[in-house]
Amino acid sequence: CGGGGVPVSRVPSRPETLIGVEAVIDKDACGSKLAVDLEADAFIILTDGGGIWKNFGKPDAQEMAMVTPEYLLGTKAGKKFPGSMGPKIEAAIGFVQNSSKKGVFAAIGDLKDAADIMSNREGTIIKEDNVENSVVWRERSAETEEVMPPKLTQDPPKYG
């Protein structure tokens, strides 16, 4: 989606004629570009998982509550899961870094937590400013620790 537009090909016998072709697009990258072009204040990616995790699937797993693009880039967050969280993290970073507006943010979180993502009670907020030490880790209560951290399964991972 970097260049935008509908995938087309020229008809060889009539080079001035374009026809539509089948293609797969990166919906996260397209959403990010659209949000930048629309000068949106925020870009929110709703998933069937939570926010961005460090050490996903391990006993010491932690979810990021708030993080800067620089921290994510420096730690290569999501690179272990290129088919799931990787593109979502890249799209969120792209929106925050490419927006011409000040104070924008991106968020990644579970669809069922949409209202709580906006108040940063769930999911991960990605923004440039006012993030202490570049990352703030989500604190979980004793009740939620029983179900945390998520366990890896045979299914493709849904977290980065």
Side-chain angles (χ1 to χ4, degrees):
C1 184
V6 177
V8 295
S9 178
R10 295 198 183 277
V11 175
S13 61
R14 298 189 64 195
E16 71 281 358
T17 303
L18 300 175
I19 59 169
V21 295
E22 288 189 35
V24 177
I25 63 168
D26 180 337
K27 63 185 178 296
D28 299 313
C30 285
S32 176
K33 181 168 177 24
L34 180 62
V36 168
D37 289 351
L38 291 173
E39 298 182 0
D41 295 325
F43 174 54
I44 301 162
I45 300 174
L46 299 174
T47 69
D48 61 350
I52 305 170
W53 290 78
K54 175 183 176 185
N55 295 331
F56 170 75
K58 297 180 180 173
D60 61 341
Q62 290 181 286
E63 186 179 21
M64 298 174 194
M66 196 173 302
V67 64
T68 64
E70 292 75 23
Y71 182 89
L72 292 172
L73 291 168
T75 59
K76 299 181 181 171
K79 295 296 182 189
K80 292 181 182 177
F81 307 111
S84 56
M85 281 304 274
K88 291 169 181 23
I89 293 169
E90 289 175 12
I93 291 169
F95 170 74
V96 172
Q97 291 185 328
N98 294 318
S99 177
S100 61
K101 295 179 81 173
K102 296 287 184 201
V104 300
F105 69 93
I108 300 174
D110 197 301
L111 174 62
K112 69 177 176 50
D113 297 326
D116 289 333
I117 292 167
M118 293 303 296
S119 61
N120 199 228
R121 288 190 300 263
E122 293 291 340
T124 303
I125 301 283
I126 300 98
K127 64 182 197 165
E128 293 277 5
D129 302 325
N130 302 320
V131 180
E132 188 176 337
N133 299 319
S134 299
V135 64
V136 177
W137 299 102
R138 173 120 11 248
E139 293 186 24
R140 297 289 180 183
S141 67
E143 293 174 4
T144 59
E145 286 180 15
E146 293 177 20
V147 296
M148 295 298 195
K151 301 293 182 201
L152 290 174
T153 66
Q154 295 298 329
D155 297 329
K158 296 188 179 11
Y159 303 95

